[in-house]
Structures are given as structure tokens and as C-alpha cells.
Amino acid sequence: MQISVIGTGYVGLVVGACLAETGHTVRCADIDQRKIDGLKSNILPIYEPGLEPLVERNQKEKRLFFTTDLRDAIESAEVVFIAVGTPPGEDGSADLKYVLQVASLIGKHMSREMVVVTKSTVPVGSAAKVSQEIAKQAKFPFHLCSNPEFLKEGDAVEDFMRPDRVVIGVESEYARRVMSELYAPFVRTGKPVLLMDISSAEMTKYAANGMLATRISFMNEVANLCDKMGANVDFVRRGIGSDSRIGQSFLFPGPGYGGSCFPKDVKALVRMGAERGVPLEVLSAVESANERQKTVLVSKLRSALGDNLTGKRIALWGLAFKAGTDDMREAPALTFIDAVLDAGASVCAHDPAAMDHARTLLSNRIEFAETNYEALTGADALVVVTDWMEYRYPDFERVKRTLKQPVIVDGRNLYDVEKMRALGVRYHSIGRPSA
Ligand SMILES: NC(=O)c1ccc[n+]([C@@H]2O[C@H](COP(=O)([O-])OP(=O)(O)OC[C@H]3O[C@@H](n4cnc5c(N)ncnc54)[C@H](O)[C@@H]3O)[C@@H](O)[C@H]2O)c1
């Protein structure tokens, strides 16, 4: 099939490369000339494990093309995916500006009957707006379809290639047939393709992110209570996660959720509810609990070093909002950095993937270290914000030797409390006894 993906970010690039891998001809189009120039030379704008070989192989095999010529991409497509950003507007609702811009171009340049797929996360009811925008200029029939994406940054290729399920909202037999065919190679093991109406598909994406964010905020609050009650959240997590009604995933407490999806999608869902007179009180609480959680590392740092952080030097391990990505959108590290700089401390940070983004975002407000150990030199404390593999088993003797004093604040509960105690490290984590 001739497929075009408009918007070549975290989602569009993965979708395009994976569809090309199954034999389709895919054009990935974006308005960002630099991004497209880089991609043509197999230089990826994002860090995503396993993506580079896919891009390189499929470009070489002439199944995957990158272009800024949106007109050509639309004209040649039988199926077009809209995968542009939907950032939060001022009132928290998802801003459809980019989606509607693309819809308008689709109407203008379509050259045959086609399926138009919204991959971007869009509020319930957006399909009608997209449809109207296309219809203003369309000269051929088109079939709108909502196909929300559930990939996780850091595992995106694996998630797309082997999804737990595929959700497809369709309103025509034509779109149902084309989309089922497109996804057949990815669900050969029997994972379900859930066909439904478009509004339900749009809602499914928000409900999924709302539920996951709720689990995180819930566990963060339980961990905070564990801190005060002398309980250990590690035991509690396993104790509740073993219940098959609850399950183990998404129960790890931490410094608050970040990234490009949970914060904006929870906001958008709350907004959707408010607009329809349906207060989503659980999700409003999830959001405020998360905002509070993003300050937890600073509070723990103050308990370790004293209230006055003026002149303190902090080593920071991890800038990305989670391991496996270079994405720093809404990253808890940014909230932490702002707070400690405001308090008069300085920061020297390391991240295996996000340093380039961080340099652009933070310029010279903090220092950057080439290695995680280098960040420790002269520091009064180490604060671990992201759960990268390489931070899990460091040489603790070296850590202790290099820090000015042996203080670790661990926002991801990576280290064993007893081990830290035995090493003589003053250790603070989330919802577990301190050492
Ligand atoms: N990142 C994720 O993990 C994830 C997961 C599931 C769903 N989503 C959703 O997918 C959508 C895209 O997210 P993302 O993280 O890939 O965003 P992104 O910001 O990484 O990429 C968006 C891309 O769209 C391009 N773009 C913007 N306007 C354009 C236009 N008019 N024409 C062509 N290109 C245009 C931008 O240049 C950018 O490259 C969002 O709605 C998001 O909520 C994201």
C-alpha cells in the first residue's frame, strides 16, 4: 500500500518505519526541514532503541522516504496517518491546530479515495472536526478512522511491532478492511484488533492514559504515607501487585510522571469533563498529586542536607522523564533543577541520552558531565531522577569516594537500603526507610 505519515516525531517515525518494514511504501512528511534532512542520512532526531536500523534498512530498500513535500505525500497516499503534536492549549484542552492544518492539506491535495487515520491523541469529537476540514476541499471520498497509539517511548518499536491490542475506530466497511489488512502482520499471535466507533476509540486512548497516571499517583501517595508510617513501599507494592485484580505494572513510586503524554492527556480529559458538566474528580486529584510529587526530591534533599541549600553542589543522574528515551517534556528533573537553583545550589548532571536536549533547554544554568561518575566530583549529594540501567549497579565505593559527603537521594528506589546502610551512605528513597 502507499502510505503517508504526516508528522515525523516520536510516534510518526516509529509508525512509518514499522509499516515500511512490513513491505508498504511509506512517505514520512514533516515541516521540519532539519529533521527530514537528518533522517534522509539516517540521522534520527530522537533516541529510540531499535529504530535506527529499521530506518536505515527501509530507506535502503526504497520502502521508506522522508520529505517536506506534504502535497506529494498526500497526493500519492492511499492511507494517510496524521501524527502531528496535540499540545495542551491554555485551558488544558488539546490544541488541534496542527491536526486541522494537516486535515486542510489532505482535503486540498488528495488525488483518490483514501483512508485518513488520526494517530495523534485527539479529544473525543475531533474526528468530526477533521472530517469537516477535509470535506471543505475534498474532491474524492475519504474514510476517517481513529487509531490511537499506545507505544511507550523507550520500547516504541517493540510496542508497535507486538502490540497488546490495536484500537481502530471506523465508520465504513472500506476503512475497516484497509486498517485490518494494515495491522494483520502485527497481530499474528492473536492479540486483538478492537474495532469500534470513532468516539470510543478516541476515548479509549485518554482512558488508558488516565488509568496509568492514576496508578502512578496512587502509588506515589501510598509511598509518601509509608515514609511517615515506617512502612516499606517495596513490600506493599508486591503485596498488592500479586492480586490478579491489581497486577504488578505501573506500581513503582517515583518523582512524579512526566513526558509528552500523561500530563497533557490527563489535563485534556479533565477539561473534556468540565466542558460537558462531568467533573472528573479522580483525575483532577491525580494531576495535583503529581504536581506535588515532583517536589518530593527537593524535600528529601533538604532533609538530608538541611533546609539551606545555598552553595551546595548537587550531582544529578538522569534528565529524561524516564529511562530509554531522550524526551525531556515535563520531566521531573526540570522541576527539581528549577527548585534547587532557586534555592541557591548548583547542579552537575548526567544522562546517557538526553544531554543534547538538556543543553538546549537549560543552556548554562547547570553543568553537564561526560560520565555519571564525573558528575559526582565535589558534590554534596547525588540525586537519582531517572532509572537508567547503567545507574542501577554503580561502583558504590567510587561514588562514596568521589562525593564530598556520602548522601544519596534516590527518586527511583534503585538501591538496597541495607546495602546503603552497610556502606555508610546516608540514603533517602521514596516510601522506604532511610539509611
Ligand atoms: N510520544 C509518545 O509517546 C506518544 C504516544 C502515543 C501517542 N502520542 C500522541 O501522538 C501525537 C504526536 O506525538 P509525538 O510525541 O510524536 O510528537 P512530536 O512533537 O515528537 O512530533 C510531532 C511532529 O509533527 C510535526 N508537525 C507539526 N505540525 C506539522 C504540520 N502541519 N505538518 C507536518 N508536520 C508537522 C513536528 O515538526 C514534529 O516533528 C500527539 O498527539 C501525542 O499525544 C504520543
Side-chain angles (χ1 to χ4, degrees), residues 7-67:
T8 310
Y10 283 87
V11 168
L13 185 53
V14 172
V15 171
C18 291
L19 289 173
E21 183 72 1
T22 60
H24 298 293
T25 303
V26 181
R27 289 171 186 79
C28 283
D30 202 289
I31 46 173
D32 186 334
Q33 183 77 51
R34 262 185 55 193
K35 200 178 258 192
I36 293 299
D37 287 346
L39 280 163
K40 283 181 176 169
S41 320
N42 298 314
I43 300 166
L44 268 57
I46 55 169
Y47 173 84
E48 189 56 57
L51 187 54
E52 200 176 315
L54 275 188
V55 168
E56 196 173 337
R57 181 168 56 246
N58 284 288
Q59 279 209 96
K60 198 166 148 227
E61 302 288 334
K62 305 226 174 307
R63 288 190 298 260
L64 182 61
F65 301 89
F66 293 102
T67 180

Short mmCIF file of all heavy atoms in Angstrom, two decimals, residues 7-67:
data_model
loop_
_atom_site.label_atom_id
_atom_site.label_comp_id
_atom_site.label_asym_id
_atom_site.label_seq_id
_atom_site.Cartn_x
_atom_site.Cartn_y
_atom_site.Cartn_z
N GLY A 7 3.91 14.21 10.06
CA GLY A 7 4.43 14.42 11.42
C GLY A 7 5.39 13.28 11.72
O GLY A 7 4.99 12.13 11.84
N THR A 8 6.67 13.64 11.80
CA THR A 8 7.69 12.59 11.93
C THR A 8 8.39 12.74 13.28
O THR A 8 9.60 12.90 13.36
CB THR A 8 8.69 12.68 10.74
OG1 THR A 8 7.90 12.73 9.54
CG2 THR A 8 9.59 11.47 10.65
N GLY A 9 7.58 12.72 14.34
CA GLY A 9 8.13 12.80 15.69
C GLY A 9 8.26 11.42 16.30
O GLY A 9 8.43 10.43 15.58
N TYR A 10 8.14 11.32 17.61
CA TYR A 10 8.29 10.04 18.31
C TYR A 10 7.31 9.01 17.74
O TYR A 10 7.66 7.86 17.52
CB TYR A 10 8.04 10.22 19.81
CG TYR A 10 9.22 10.85 20.52
CD1 TYR A 10 9.36 12.23 20.60
CD2 TYR A 10 10.21 10.06 21.10
CE1 TYR A 10 10.44 12.81 21.23
CE2 TYR A 10 11.30 10.64 21.73
CZ TYR A 10 11.41 12.01 21.80
OH TYR A 10 12.48 12.59 22.42
N VAL A 11 6.08 9.42 17.50
CA VAL A 11 5.07 8.48 17.02
C VAL A 11 5.17 8.26 15.51
O VAL A 11 5.28 7.13 15.04
CB VAL A 11 3.65 8.97 17.41
CG1 VAL A 11 2.57 8.19 16.70
CG2 VAL A 11 3.47 8.85 18.92
N GLY A 12 5.17 9.36 14.75
CA GLY A 12 5.14 9.24 13.29
C GLY A 12 6.32 8.45 12.75
O GLY A 12 6.17 7.62 11.84
N LEU A 13 7.48 8.68 13.31
CA LEU A 13 8.67 8.00 12.79
C LEU A 13 8.60 6.50 13.06
O LEU A 13 8.94 5.68 12.20
CB LEU A 13 9.93 8.62 13.44
CG LEU A 13 11.27 8.11 12.94
CD1 LEU A 13 11.40 8.22 11.43
CD2 LEU A 13 12.42 8.88 13.62
N VAL A 14 8.15 6.14 14.24
CA VAL A 14 8.03 4.72 14.59
C VAL A 14 6.97 4.05 13.71
O VAL A 14 7.21 2.99 13.12
CB VAL A 14 7.68 4.54 16.09
CG1 VAL A 14 7.38 3.09 16.42
CG2 VAL A 14 8.82 5.06 16.97
N VAL A 15 5.82 4.69 13.59
CA VAL A 15 4.74 4.14 12.77
C VAL A 15 5.22 3.95 11.33
O VAL A 15 5.05 2.89 10.72
CB VAL A 15 3.50 5.07 12.81
CG1 VAL A 15 2.45 4.63 11.80
CG2 VAL A 15 2.91 5.09 14.21
N GLY A 16 5.85 4.99 10.79
CA GLY A 16 6.31 4.93 9.39
C GLY A 16 7.33 3.83 9.18
O GLY A 16 7.20 3.02 8.25
N ALA A 17 8.32 3.75 10.07
CA ALA A 17 9.39 2.75 9.90
C ALA A 17 8.82 1.34 10.05
O ALA A 17 9.18 0.43 9.29
CB ALA A 17 10.49 3.01 10.92
N CYS A 18 7.92 1.14 11.01
CA CYS A 18 7.38 -0.21 11.23
C CYS A 18 6.47 -0.63 10.09
O CYS A 18 6.48 -1.80 9.68
CB CYS A 18 6.62 -0.27 12.56
SG CYS A 18 7.70 -0.12 14.00
N LEU A 19 5.68 0.29 9.54
CA LEU A 19 4.82 -0.08 8.41
C LEU A 19 5.67 -0.38 7.17
O LEU A 19 5.36 -1.30 6.40
CB LEU A 19 3.81 1.04 8.12
CG LEU A 19 2.70 1.20 9.17
CD1 LEU A 19 1.85 2.43 8.88
CD2 LEU A 19 1.79 -0.04 9.20
N ALA A 20 6.75 0.37 6.99
CA ALA A 20 7.65 0.09 5.86
C ALA A 20 8.27 -1.30 6.00
O ALA A 20 8.45 -2.02 5.02
CB ALA A 20 8.73 1.17 5.78
N GLU A 21 8.56 -1.66 7.23
CA GLU A 21 9.19 -2.96 7.50
C GLU A 21 8.31 -4.13 7.02
O GLU A 21 8.81 -5.19 6.70
CB GLU A 21 9.47 -3.07 9.01
CG GLU A 21 10.18 -4.31 9.49
CD GLU A 21 11.66 -4.38 9.12
OE1 GLU A 21 12.18 -3.42 8.50
OE2 GLU A 21 12.30 -5.39 9.44
N THR A 22 6.98 -3.90 6.98
CA THR A 22 6.10 -5.00 6.52
C THR A 22 5.89 -4.96 5.00
O THR A 22 5.07 -5.71 4.47
CB THR A 22 4.72 -4.96 7.22
OG1 THR A 22 4.08 -3.72 6.93
CG2 THR A 22 4.85 -5.14 8.71
N GLY A 23 6.60 -4.06 4.32
CA GLY A 23 6.57 -4.10 2.85
C GLY A 23 5.85 -2.95 2.18
O GLY A 23 5.90 -2.82 0.95
N HIS A 24 5.18 -2.11 2.96
CA HIS A 24 4.48 -0.99 2.34
C HIS A 24 5.47 0.10 1.91
O HIS A 24 6.59 0.17 2.42
CB HIS A 24 3.48 -0.37 3.33
CG HIS A 24 2.42 -1.34 3.76
ND1 HIS A 24 1.47 -1.83 2.91
CD2 HIS A 24 2.19 -1.93 4.96
CE1 HIS A 24 0.69 -2.66 3.55
NE2 HIS A 24 1.11 -2.75 4.81
N THR A 25 5.02 0.95 1.01
CA THR A 25 5.81 2.13 0.66
C THR A 25 5.32 3.27 1.53
O THR A 25 4.13 3.61 1.50
CB THR A 25 5.61 2.49 -0.84
OG1 THR A 25 5.97 1.35 -1.60
CG2 THR A 25 6.47 3.68 -1.24
N VAL A 26 6.24 3.83 2.32
CA VAL A 26 5.82 4.84 3.31
C VAL A 26 6.58 6.14 3.10
O VAL A 26 7.81 6.15 3.00
CB VAL A 26 6.09 4.32 4.75
CG1 VAL A 26 5.62 5.36 5.77
CG2 VAL A 26 5.38 2.99 5.00
N ARG A 27 5.80 7.22 3.01
CA ARG A 27 6.42 8.55 2.98
C ARG A 27 6.18 9.22 4.32
O ARG A 27 5.02 9.39 4.72
CB ARG A 27 5.81 9.40 1.86
CG ARG A 27 6.22 8.94 0.49
CD ARG A 27 5.44 9.65 -0.62
NE ARG A 27 5.79 9.06 -1.92
CZ ARG A 27 5.29 7.90 -2.36
NH1 ARG A 27 4.41 7.23 -1.65
NH2 ARG A 27 5.68 7.41 -3.53
N CYS A 28 7.24 9.58 5.00
CA CYS A 28 7.12 10.31 6.27
C CYS A 28 7.35 11.78 5.97
O CYS A 28 8.44 12.15 5.49
CB CYS A 28 8.16 9.82 7.27
SG CYS A 28 7.74 8.25 8.01
N ALA A 29 6.35 12.60 6.22
CA ALA A 29 6.46 14.02 5.88
C ALA A 29 6.43 14.88 7.13
O ALA A 29 5.72 14.57 8.09
CB ALA A 29 5.31 14.41 4.96
N ASP A 30 7.22 15.92 7.11
CA ASP A 30 7.25 16.84 8.26
C ASP A 30 7.59 18.23 7.75
O ASP A 30 8.24 18.37 6.69
CB ASP A 30 8.29 16.36 9.28
CG ASP A 30 8.03 16.88 10.68
OD1 ASP A 30 8.22 18.10 10.92
OD2 ASP A 30 7.62 16.08 11.54
N ILE A 31 7.19 19.25 8.51
CA ILE A 31 7.54 20.62 8.10
C ILE A 31 8.93 21.01 8.59
O ILE A 31 9.45 22.06 8.22
CB ILE A 31 6.51 21.65 8.64
CG1 ILE A 31 6.21 21.39 10.12
CG2 ILE A 31 5.24 21.64 7.84
CD1 ILE A 31 5.35 22.44 10.77
N ASP A 32 9.53 20.18 9.41
CA ASP A 32 10.84 20.49 9.98
C ASP A 32 11.95 20.02 9.02
O ASP A 32 12.30 18.84 8.97
CB ASP A 32 10.95 19.79 11.35
CG ASP A 32 12.22 20.17 12.10
OD1 ASP A 32 13.21 20.54 11.44
OD2 ASP A 32 12.21 20.08 13.34
N GLN A 33 12.47 20.98 8.26
CA GLN A 33 13.46 20.65 7.20
C GLN A 33 14.70 19.97 7.78
O GLN A 33 15.21 19.00 7.21
CB GLN A 33 13.86 21.97 6.49
CG GLN A 33 14.83 21.78 5.33
CD GLN A 33 14.14 21.27 4.07
OE1 GLN A 33 13.13 21.82 3.64
NE2 GLN A 33 14.67 20.18 3.50
N ARG A 34 15.16 20.46 8.94
CA ARG A 34 16.39 19.88 9.52
C ARG A 34 16.19 18.42 9.89
O ARG A 34 17.05 17.57 9.68
CB ARG A 34 16.79 20.67 10.78
CG ARG A 34 17.88 21.69 10.46
CD ARG A 34 18.38 22.39 11.67
NE ARG A 34 18.85 21.50 12.72
CZ ARG A 34 19.10 21.89 13.96
NH1 ARG A 34 18.89 23.14 14.30
NH2 ARG A 34 19.54 21.06 14.86
N LYS A 35 15.02 18.14 10.48
CA LYS A 35 14.69 16.78 10.87
C LYS A 35 14.71 15.86 9.65
O LYS A 35 15.29 14.78 9.66
CB LYS A 35 13.29 16.79 11.51
CG LYS A 35 12.98 15.63 12.39
CD LYS A 35 11.60 15.78 13.01
CE LYS A 35 11.64 16.22 14.45
NZ LYS A 35 10.38 16.12 15.16
N ILE A 36 14.05 16.32 8.59
CA ILE A 36 13.94 15.49 7.38
C ILE A 36 15.31 15.32 6.72
O ILE A 36 15.67 14.22 6.29
CB ILE A 36 12.91 16.13 6.40
CG1 ILE A 36 11.51 16.06 7.03
CG2 ILE A 36 12.93 15.46 5.04
CD1 ILE A 36 10.97 14.66 7.32
N ASP A 37 16.10 16.40 6.67
CA ASP A 37 17.45 16.28 6.09
C ASP A 37 18.26 15.24 6.85
O ASP A 37 18.93 14.40 6.26
CB ASP A 37 18.19 17.63 6.14
CG ASP A 37 17.63 18.61 5.12
OD1 ASP A 37 16.88 18.16 4.23
OD2 ASP A 37 17.92 19.82 5.23
N GLY A 38 18.19 15.32 8.18
CA GLY A 38 18.93 14.35 9.01
C GLY A 38 18.45 12.93 8.73
O GLY A 38 19.25 12.01 8.51
N LEU A 39 17.15 12.74 8.70
CA LEU A 39 16.58 11.39 8.51
C LEU A 39 16.99 10.80 7.17
O LEU A 39 17.23 9.59 7.06
CB LEU A 39 15.06 11.44 8.64
CG LEU A 39 14.57 11.48 10.09
CD1 LEU A 39 13.13 11.95 10.18
CD2 LEU A 39 14.72 10.10 10.76
N LYS A 40 17.06 11.65 6.15
CA LYS A 40 17.49 11.15 4.83
C LYS A 40 18.88 10.53 4.91
O LYS A 40 19.23 9.64 4.15
CB LYS A 40 17.48 12.29 3.80
CG LYS A 40 16.08 12.63 3.33
CD LYS A 40 16.15 13.75 2.29
CE LYS A 40 14.76 14.04 1.74
NZ LYS A 40 14.72 15.26 0.95
N SER A 41 19.71 11.04 5.85
CA SER A 41 21.06 10.46 6.05
C SER A 41 21.06 9.51 7.24
O SER A 41 22.11 9.28 7.86
CB SER A 41 22.09 11.56 6.30
OG SER A 41 21.87 12.65 5.50
N ASN A 42 19.90 8.99 7.61
CA ASN A 42 19.77 8.05 8.74
C ASN A 42 20.19 8.65 10.07
O ASN A 42 20.60 7.93 10.98
CB ASN A 42 20.55 6.75 8.48
CG ASN A 42 20.02 6.03 7.26
OD1 ASN A 42 18.81 5.88 7.13
ND2 ASN A 42 20.91 5.62 6.38
N ILE A 43 20.12 9.98 10.19
CA ILE A 43 20.38 10.60 11.49
C ILE A 43 19.04 10.83 12.16
O ILE A 43 18.22 11.64 11.69
CB ILE A 43 21.15 11.93 11.34
CG1 ILE A 43 22.49 11.67 10.66
CG2 ILE A 43 21.35 12.61 12.70
CD1 ILE A 43 23.18 12.92 10.17
N LEU A 44 18.81 10.11 13.26
CA LEU A 44 17.49 10.17 13.92
C LEU A 44 17.40 11.38 14.85
O LEU A 44 18.36 11.67 15.57
CB LEU A 44 17.24 8.88 14.71
CG LEU A 44 16.51 7.78 13.93
CD1 LEU A 44 17.25 7.42 12.67
CD2 LEU A 44 16.28 6.57 14.79
N PRO A 45 16.25 12.07 14.85
CA PRO A 45 16.11 13.23 15.74
C PRO A 45 15.83 12.82 17.18
O PRO A 45 15.81 13.65 18.07
CB PRO A 45 14.90 13.97 15.16
CG PRO A 45 14.10 12.92 14.47
CD PRO A 45 15.06 11.88 13.99
N ILE A 46 15.55 11.53 17.40
CA ILE A 46 15.21 11.07 18.76
C ILE A 46 16.02 9.83 19.09
O ILE A 46 16.50 9.13 18.19
CB ILE A 46 13.70 10.72 18.89
CG1 ILE A 46 13.29 9.69 17.81
CG2 ILE A 46 12.85 11.95 18.80
CD1 ILE A 46 11.92 9.09 18.03
N TYR A 47 16.13 9.56 20.38
CA TYR A 47 16.76 8.33 20.83
C TYR A 47 15.64 7.31 21.06
O TYR A 47 14.76 7.54 21.87
CB TYR A 47 17.52 8.58 22.14
CG TYR A 47 18.06 7.32 22.78
CD1 TYR A 47 19.28 6.80 22.38
CD2 TYR A 47 17.34 6.66 23.76
CE1 TYR A 47 19.76 5.63 22.95
CE2 TYR A 47 17.82 5.49 24.34
CZ TYR A 47 19.03 4.99 23.93
OH TYR A 47 19.50 3.83 24.49
N GLU A 48 15.65 6.24 20.30
CA GLU A 48 14.63 5.20 20.49
C GLU A 48 15.26 3.86 20.12
O GLU A 48 15.58 3.63 18.94
CB GLU A 48 13.41 5.50 19.61
CG GLU A 48 12.19 4.64 19.88
CD GLU A 48 11.70 4.68 21.32
OE1 GLU A 48 11.39 5.76 21.83
OE2 GLU A 48 11.65 3.59 21.96
N PRO A 49 15.47 2.98 21.11
CA PRO A 49 16.17 1.72 20.83
C PRO A 49 15.53 0.93 19.68
O PRO A 49 14.31 0.79 19.62
CB PRO A 49 16.03 0.95 22.16
CG PRO A 49 15.86 2.01 23.20
CD PRO A 49 15.11 3.12 22.52
N GLY A 50 16.37 0.46 18.76
CA GLY A 50 15.91 -0.40 17.66
C GLY A 50 15.37 0.34 16.45
O GLY A 50 15.06 -0.27 15.43
N LEU A 51 15.24 1.66 16.55
CA LEU A 51 14.60 2.40 15.46
C LEU A 51 15.58 2.68 14.30
O LEU A 51 15.21 2.61 13.13
CB LEU A 51 14.02 3.71 16.01
CG LEU A 51 13.17 4.55 15.06
CD1 LEU A 51 12.04 3.74 14.45
CD2 LEU A 51 12.59 5.76 15.79
N GLU A 52 16.82 2.97 14.66
CA GLU A 52 17.79 3.36 13.63
C GLU A 52 17.98 2.29 12.56
O GLU A 52 17.90 2.60 11.36
CB GLU A 52 19.11 3.71 14.31
CG GLU A 52 19.99 4.57 13.44
CD GLU A 52 21.25 5.00 14.18
OE1 GLU A 52 21.16 5.40 15.35
OE2 GLU A 52 22.32 4.89 13.57
N PRO A 53 18.20 1.01 12.93
CA PRO A 53 18.35 0.00 11.88
C PRO A 53 17.12 -0.13 10.99
O PRO A 53 17.25 -0.37 9.79
CB PRO A 53 18.58 -1.31 12.65
CG PRO A 53 18.57 -0.99 14.09
CD PRO A 53 18.41 0.47 14.29
N LEU A 54 15.94 0.05 11.57
CA LEU A 54 14.71 -0.02 10.76
C LEU A 54 14.68 1.10 9.72
O LEU A 54 14.35 0.87 8.55
CB LEU A 54 13.48 0.18 11.66
CG LEU A 54 12.87 -0.99 12.41
CD1 LEU A 54 11.57 -0.55 13.05
CD2 LEU A 54 12.60 -2.12 11.44
N VAL A 55 15.03 2.30 10.18
CA VAL A 55 15.01 3.46 9.28
C VAL A 55 16.04 3.25 8.17
O VAL A 55 15.75 3.42 6.98
CB VAL A 55 15.30 4.76 10.07
CG1 VAL A 55 15.59 5.92 9.14
CG2 VAL A 55 14.11 5.09 10.98
N GLU A 56 17.23 2.82 8.57
CA GLU A 56 18.32 2.66 7.60
C GLU A 56 17.96 1.57 6.57
O GLU A 56 18.05 1.79 5.36
CB GLU A 56 19.59 2.29 8.37
CG GLU A 56 20.82 2.48 7.53
CD GLU A 56 22.10 2.30 8.33
OE1 GLU A 56 22.07 2.45 9.57
OE2 GLU A 56 23.11 1.99 7.69
N ARG A 57 17.51 0.42 7.07
CA ARG A 57 17.21 -0.70 6.17
C ARG A 57 16.09 -0.34 5.19
O ARG A 57 16.19 -0.57 3.99
CB ARG A 57 16.82 -1.93 7.00
CG ARG A 57 16.53 -3.15 6.16
CD ARG A 57 16.42 -4.43 6.95
NE ARG A 57 15.44 -4.41 8.02
CZ ARG A 57 15.71 -4.47 9.31
NH1 ARG A 57 16.97 -4.56 9.71
NH2 ARG A 57 14.75 -4.45 10.21
N ASN A 58 15.03 0.27 5.71
CA ASN A 58 13.88 0.53 4.85
C ASN A 58 14.13 1.67 3.87
O ASN A 58 13.56 1.68 2.78
CB ASN A 58 12.63 0.74 5.69
CG ASN A 58 12.12 -0.59 6.22
OD1 ASN A 58 11.58 -1.39 5.48
ND2 ASN A 58 12.35 -0.84 7.50
N GLN A 59 15.00 2.61 4.25
CA GLN A 59 15.38 3.63 3.27
C GLN A 59 16.20 3.00 2.15
O GLN A 59 15.99 3.26 0.98
CB GLN A 59 16.22 4.73 3.93
CG GLN A 59 15.42 5.76 4.67
CD GLN A 59 16.10 7.13 4.71
OE1 GLN A 59 15.80 8.01 3.90
NE2 GLN A 59 16.99 7.31 5.66
N LYS A 60 17.12 2.12 2.56
CA LYS A 60 17.99 1.46 1.58
C LYS A 60 17.16 0.61 0.60
O LYS A 60 17.42 0.58 -0.60
CB LYS A 60 18.99 0.58 2.34
CG LYS A 60 20.19 0.19 1.54
CD LYS A 60 21.28 -0.39 2.42
CE LYS A 60 22.04 -1.42 1.63
NZ LYS A 60 22.26 -2.65 2.36
N GLU A 61 16.14 -0.03 1.15
CA GLU A 61 15.29 -0.90 0.32
C GLU A 61 14.24 -0.11 -0.46
O GLU A 61 13.38 -0.67 -1.10
CB GLU A 61 14.57 -1.94 1.20
CG GLU A 61 15.46 -2.84 2.03
CD GLU A 61 16.21 -3.87 1.18
OE1 GLU A 61 15.70 -4.21 0.10
OE2 GLU A 61 17.30 -4.29 1.60
N LYS A 62 14.31 1.21 -0.31
CA LYS A 62 13.39 2.12 -1.02
C LYS A 62 11.91 1.87 -0.70
O LYS A 62 11.03 1.91 -1.55
CB LYS A 62 13.63 2.07 -2.53
CG LYS A 62 15.06 2.34 -2.93
CD LYS A 62 15.15 3.31 -4.08
CE LYS A 62 16.55 3.74 -4.42
NZ LYS A 62 17.35 4.26 -3.31
N ARG A 63 11.68 1.54 0.59
CA ARG A 63 10.28 1.46 1.04
C ARG A 63 9.94 2.64 1.93
O ARG A 63 8.78 2.91 2.20
CB ARG A 63 10.07 0.17 1.86
CG ARG A 63 10.08 -1.09 1.04
CD ARG A 63 9.63 -2.26 1.88
NE ARG A 63 10.52 -2.50 2.99
CZ ARG A 63 11.47 -3.44 3.01
NH1 ARG A 63 11.62 -4.24 1.98
NH2 ARG A 63 12.24 -3.60 4.06
N LEU A 64 10.96 3.32 2.44
CA LEU A 64 10.72 4.42 3.38
C LEU A 64 11.37 5.70 2.84
O LEU A 64 12.56 5.69 2.49
CB LEU A 64 11.34 4.06 4.74
CG LEU A 64 11.17 5.06 5.87
CD1 LEU A 64 9.70 5.30 6.20
CD2 LEU A 64 11.90 4.57 7.13
N PHE A 65 10.56 6.76 2.76
CA PHE A 65 11.05 8.03 2.21
C PHE A 65 10.74 9.16 3.19
O PHE A 65 9.73 9.12 3.89
CB PHE A 65 10.36 8.33 0.87
CG PHE A 65 10.61 7.26 -0.16
CD1 PHE A 65 9.75 6.18 -0.25
CD2 PHE A 65 11.71 7.33 -1.00
CE1 PHE A 65 9.98 5.17 -1.19
CE2 PHE A 65 11.95 6.33 -1.94
CZ PHE A 65 11.08 5.24 -2.03
N PHE A 66 11.62 10.14 3.22
CA PHE A 66 11.39 11.31 4.08
C PHE A 66 11.28 12.55 3.21
O PHE A 66 12.06 12.72 2.27
CB PHE A 66 12.53 11.46 5.09
CG PHE A 66 12.55 10.32 6.07
CD1 PHE A 66 13.46 9.28 5.94
CD2 PHE A 66 11.63 10.28 7.11
CE1 PHE A 66 13.45 8.22 6.83
CE2 PHE A 66 11.61 9.23 8.00
CZ PHE A 66 12.53 8.19 7.86
N THR A 67 10.31 13.39 3.53
CA THR A 67 10.08 14.56 2.67
C THR A 67 9.46 15.71 3.45
O THR A 67 8.81 15.49 4.48
CB THR A 67 9.13 14.16 1.50
OG1 THR A 67 8.92 15.30 0.68
CG2 THR A 67 7.77 13.67 2.01
#
